Amino acid sequence: MGPLLPLDLIVDAFFAIDIILTFFVSYLDKTTYLLVVDHKKIAMRYVTKMLFPMDVASTLPFQLIHRVVTGKVHSGEAFRFLSLLRLWRLRRVSQLFKRLEKDTRFSYFITRCCKLICATLFSVHSAGCFYFWLATRHKNPENTWIGSQVPDFEQRTIKLGYTYSIYWAVVTLTTVGYGDLHAVNPSEKAFTLFYMLFNIGLTAYVIGNMTNLIVHNAIRTFAVRDSINEILRYGSKNRLPEGLKDQMLAHLQLKSKTVELQQEEVIANLPKAIRSSISQHLFYPTIEKTYILRGVSQDFIAQMVSEIKAEYFPPKVDIILQNEIPTDFYILVSGLVEVLVYKNGTEQLLSRLGSSDMAGEIAVLLNIPQPFTLRTRKLSQVIRISHDHFKQLVKPNSQDGNILLSNFIQYLKSLKQEIVQEIPCLPELLSDLATITEATDLNEDPQNQESVDGNTRVIEEDVGGNCCPWCNVRVIIHGNSPNQNTTKGKLVYLPPTIEDLYRLAENKFGKRPNMIVIGDDSEVEELNALRDNDHLYLIF
């Protein structure tokens, strides 16, 4: 009933309010994972789990109640043991630390360290207090661990006894063991044995947690260092050029620095709808500005954005190599990329690409080897799009496919002459497209024509048809019969109709054929029956 009684009563009042509020706090049912808000169920759960009786027992001021009822002040051993019920409140502290550890507004490292420090201090305080209590209850005070050093310790201040007790607890916990304070009677020795065994577990718990915290912060650094060492060993064993090893190391270091920005790493475990929304927020403004997607529907762009993959490339790293197999093309989000070509053993710069520019799409859509090398000039972020995925998007969207085709052809026509000459088959393709366009301009059926950027050209009804360069059939036409070998074959894209094929053959060989056959002298009547790389022979 000392001077701390008012403060003690205030704390008890807060815990009493907490007990009342608990009857109105919903909980998560672990069987159904539904939030229970029914007050009856909340109360039944709180009472039946013995939480309510223990909370009440740890909150009631028994000494004050005894004084009010009897009018006498009593501070016997019974009330002291009843005060130990307040240790039940410590579970609230444990719950508080759990919430703080999950709260991203607080540092997990600092929160965890505070929890370990509090656990250690509590164990030291409890052990010291109990050890001192053993000394005060012994029949011969001088035959105790503190009485052998301070004979009149019972008449001294509580501060002195607490200092000695904490000193003994810390020395024992840290296994220093100076021997100046040691157990004397059997009860003290028994408690000391128990405390030292407890310290083994506490020390292991503290050291294990601290090790995990330190390793968790450094594990990424260890992984990067191991990867760098592996790359260096690999490069040395295979005698790779220094420039190539530098590119490998630069890419690895960039990946480690941007790991938190990588889309796949951050949102891999999220639902597909959320991933699509994030991708649209990040990359939709960039993709809709690309030349090939101008005029297409927003639905098509949204479908395309939902499956894209973003990557980072450090400066002076090759994104695409000349003559490699075309499988993906790229859209530049940020940075700067150089378009290079190797001629006569030297590199020549053709152009530079910036934000929203495309790279590698010509080879992918025309199904030819990559004609250029693309190298980053500075740190660049690009979007990689698979050819197969792009094809799957185009086929069911015929109207958007027509617009894509028109944009792509217009782009090819707008390329500089030095770039066109470096792309295999492109000059011939542009000539074929011009021939087909000119021929279809003479078609008497105007319903099949559509105006694109001021130029009249035929737009196919189905994007999967033969006008689509990236899904077209390529055939080889010969200006002779199958039994002759007088003219050299020419590789062309199959036009949409048989009449267009006749016009294309006339443009290539100077005269209109009477019949077109394949190798076994079968006449060609349906273009859909032809396959890629079939040989067609012209009969004049």
Side-chain angles (χ1 to χ4, degrees):
M1 302 294 293
L4 295 179
L5 179 61
L7 180 61
D8 196 18
L9 293 177
I10 292 175
V11 174
D12 291 340
F14 277 108
F15 276 96
I17 295 173
D18 179 74
I19 293 174
I20 298 174
L21 294 178
T22 304
F23 284 95
F24 301 93
V25 178
S26 60
Y27 68 93
L28 187 67
D29 191 342
K30 294 183 179 180
T31 57
T32 61
Y33 289 95
L34 297 177
L35 195 65
V36 178
V37 296
D38 188 355
H39 295 304
K40 292 183 179 180
K41 293 182 178 180
I42 295 173
M44 288 296 297
R45 176 178 177 269
Y46 185 40
V47 174
T48 56
K49 283 196 172 185
M50 297 301 295
L51 298 177
F52 174 70
M54 292 299 298
D55 285 344
V56 173
S58 62
T59 304
L60 291 177
F62 292 102
Q63 287 182 294
L64 181 61
I65 295 174
H66 180 268
R67 181 179 179 181
V68 172
V69 173
T70 63
K72 298 179 181 179
V73 177
H74 184 69
S75 59
E77 294 293 333
F79 288 102
R80 293 184 180 180
F81 280 109
L82 288 174
S83 298
L84 294 178
L85 292 174
R86 298 186 178 183
L87 295 177
W88 174 256
R89 299 175 180 176
L90 292 177
R91 70 182 184 89
R92 298 288 189 180
V93 179
S94 179
Q95 294 173 356
L96 173 63
F97 277 112
K98 287 182 179 180
R99 289 196 296 268
L100 292 178
E101 289 173 359
K102 297 178 182 179
D103 196 333
T104 56
R105 295 174 298 178
F106 300 94
S107 170
Y108 178 80
F109 179 85
I110 295 177
T111 303
R112 196 69 180 176
C113 289
C114 292
K115 181 179 179 180
L116 295 176
I117 292 173
C118 291
T120 304
L121 294 177
F122 175 73
S123 64
V124 169
H125 170 79
S126 300
C129 292
F130 189 79
Y131 204 46
F132 185 78
W133 179 81
L134 289 177
T136 58
R137 290 299 174 269
H138 196 268
K139 58 183 179 180
N140 185 6
E142 294 183 358
N143 190 29
T144 59
W145 65 274
I146 189 173
S148 59
Q149 299 291 329
V150 185
D152 57 344
F153 71 92
E154 292 182 312
Q155 283 73 39
R156 307 289 288 271
T157 61
I158 191 66
K159 179 180 177 180
L160 177 69
Y162 186 75
T163 303
Y164 271 78
S165 300
I166 296 300
Y167 170 76
W168 170 85
V170 172
V171 168
T172 306
L173 174 64
T174 56
T175 67
V176 175
Y178 294 114
D180 50 349
L181 296 177
H182 58 276
V184 176
N185 54 68
S187 60
E188 293 176 351
K189 291 180 180 181
F191 175 74
T192 302
L193 290 175
F194 168 79
Y195 182 59
M196 287 190 291
L197 292 175
F198 169 79
N199 287 341
I200 295 175
L202 179 62
T203 303
Y205 172 76
V206 173
I207 294 177
N209 277 269
M210 292 302 298
T211 302
N212 287 334
L213 291 175
I214 296 174
V215 171
H216 177 74
N217 291 334
I219 190 171
R220 187 176 299 169
T221 303
F222 292 154
V224 172
R225 289 177 63 89
D226 291 341
S227 300
I228 291 176
N229 292 331
E230 291 177 1
I231 287 179
L232 293 176
R233 287 194 296 268
Y234 178 83
S236 299
K237 289 181 180 180
N238 294 276
R239 298 181 180 179
L240 298 179
E242 291 297 327
L244 186 56
K245 288 194 292 185
D246 291 340
Q247 289 187 17
M248 296 167 64
L249 292 175
H251 185 76
L252 179 62
Q253 292 173 352
L254 177 64
K255 183 178 180 180
S256 65
K257 293 177 181 178
T258 60
V259 64
E260 295 181 355
L261 299 177
Q262 291 296 333
Q263 183 180 6
E264 295 82 1
E265 298 293 336
V266 175
I267 65 175
N269 297 324
L270 296 177
K272 184 178 180 180
I274 298 179
R275 296 200 305 267
S276 299
S277 300
I278 294 175
S279 298
Q280 292 186 27
H281 173 75
L282 293 176
F283 305 118
Y284 190 96
T286 300
I287 290 182
E288 67 176 353
K289 295 178 183 178
T290 57
Y291 76 88
I292 202 170
L293 297 176
R294 291 172 185 168
V296 302
S297 64
Q298 294 184 353
D299 292 339
F300 180 85
I301 299 179
Q303 295 175 20
M304 184 176 177
V305 172
S306 63
E307 296 294 337
I308 60 177
K309 296 181 179 180
E311 298 177 353
Y312 286 88
F313 288 89
K316 300 181 180 180
V317 171
D318 294 336
I319 301 177
I320 296 177
L321 293 177
Q322 187 174 352
N323 295 321
E324 74 174 9
I325 298 175
T327 57
D328 306 286
F329 60 92
Y330 301 86
I331 298 177
L332 188 61
V333 179
S334 61
L336 185 64
V337 174
E338 294 180 338
V339 180
L340 307 172
V341 63
Y342 288 93
K343 294 183 66 175
N344 302 324
T346 60
E347 290 183 351
Q348 296 184 8
L349 176 63
L350 295 181
S351 63
R352 289 187 174 91
L353 304 178
S355 178
S356 299
D357 288 338
M358 299 186 68
E361 81 284 2
I362 296 178
V364 171
L365 301 182
L366 297 181
N367 195 23
I368 60 175
Q370 290 289 356
F372 310 116
T373 294
L374 271 74
R375 183 175 300 160
T376 56
R377 179 79 175 182
K378 56 183 180 180
L379 176 63
S380 303
Q381 184 187 18
V382 300
I383 298 170
R384 178 162 58 90
I385 303 174
S386 169
H387 176 214
D388 294 335
H389 175 62
F390 185 73
K391 238 174 127 177
Q392 293 175 0
L393 288 177
V394 171
K395 285 184 178 180
N397 298 279
S398 59
Q399 185 176 1
D400 290 325
N402 294 332
I403 299 175
L404 291 172
L405 170 62
S406 177
N407 292 339
F408 181 63
I409 293 177
Q410 293 299 323
Y411 174 74
L412 294 180
K413 292 180 179 179
S414 66
L415 290 176
K416 296 180 181 179
Q417 191 62 30
E418 57 268 23
I419 298 179
V420 173
Q421 296 300 326
E422 297 298 334
I423 303 177
C425 302
L426 184 56
E428 187 175 357
L429 173 62
L430 293 176
S431 177
D432 294 344
L433 292 173
T435 302
I436 296 174
T437 303
E438 182 180 357
T440 53
D441 284 341
L442 302 177
N443 193 332
E444 62 274 12
D445 184 6
Q447 295 180 356
N448 292 332
Q449 297 181 355
E450 181 176 322
S451 178
V452 180
D453 295 335
N455 297 322
T456 303
R457 60 186 314 276
V458 173
I459 301 299
E460 57 177 340
E461 295 181 358
D462 183 4
V463 76
N466 291 328
C467 278
C468 180
W470 51 84
C471 52
N472 201 351
V473 175
R474 297 189 301 176
V475 296
I476 302 172
I477 58 176
H478 300 268
N480 54 272
S481 66
N483 299 324
Q484 299 176 346
N485 190 18
T486 58
T487 60
K488 186 177 180 181
K490 296 185 177 181
L491 180 67
V492 298
Y493 282 99
L494 199 63
T497 65
I498 190 71
E499 184 63 26
D500 292 332
L501 181 58
Y502 277 105
R503 293 191 184 97
L504 180 61
E506 182 181 4
N507 176 263
K508 294 295 182 182
F509 297 100
K511 54 184 177 178
R512 183 183 180 86
N514 298 322
M515 183 187 303
I516 299 178
V517 300
I518 59 176
D520 59 355
D521 289 334
S522 299
E523 184 179 356
V524 176
E525 293 183 351
E526 295 290 340
L527 298 185
N528 293 334
L530 297 178
R531 295 175 297 180
D532 204 23
N533 294 325
D534 276 350
H535 290 258
L536 307 183
Y537 298 89
L538 312 179
I539 306 300
F540 296 96

